[in-house]
Amino acid sequence: TKVTSPATSPATLPVAPITLPDTLEGRYEVGAVLDSISFGDLGIGRNLPNAIVLKAGVSKVTRKRVLIKLVDRAALTASDEIGLGQEFEVLQGWDHPHII
């Protein structure tokens, strides 16, 4: 049998913290498009195809599956930007394991 001393045991080796880039691709494996929504579909009255895209993803830290919502901000009006900001504020206030 192989004997290891406590000083060299794998359980006592220091572990470097994981540092990921602060980008979508740095934190998630981005997968296939699951759905796309135009602003017209939301009843806003403007037809901007694929303004919102939903993609599958996997967290590089937890390995949990996630849903990624991508919004084409170039297609947004000032009013849309305000609404998007309000949505973010509401979601940040929720304590739910599926919302990050």
Side-chain angles (χ1 to χ4, degrees):
T1 63
K2 183 178 178 181
V3 177
T4 59
S5 70
T8 61
S9 170
T12 61
L13 295 175
V15 177
I18 297 173
T19 304
L20 296 174
D22 196 20
T23 63
L24 177 67
E25 291 82 7
R27 294 182 179 271
Y28 299 94
E29 295 171 10
V30 181
V33 172
L34 302 175
D35 198 1
S36 62
I37 305 164
S38 72
F39 281 116
D41 294 339
L42 299 174
I44 294 174
R46 290 180 287 128
N47 188 13
L48 300 171
N50 303 323
I52 300 171
V53 176
L54 304 176
K55 289 189 171 189
V58 176
S59 168
K60 290 183 178 180
V61 174
T62 65
R63 303 305 304 159
K64 289 185 179 181
R65 295 183 329 169
V66 297
L67 176 69
I68 300 169
K69 179 180 178 180
L70 301 171
V71 178
D72 180 4
R73 292 185 70 189
L76 301 181
T77 65
S79 177
D80 295 335
E81 284 277 353
I82 291 169
L84 186 61
Q86 290 171 341
E87 178 183 350
F88 289 152
E89 287 176 15
V90 168
L91 292 174
Q92 285 175 342
W94 288 1
D95 182 19
H96 191 281
H98 298 140
I99 299 174
I100 56 170

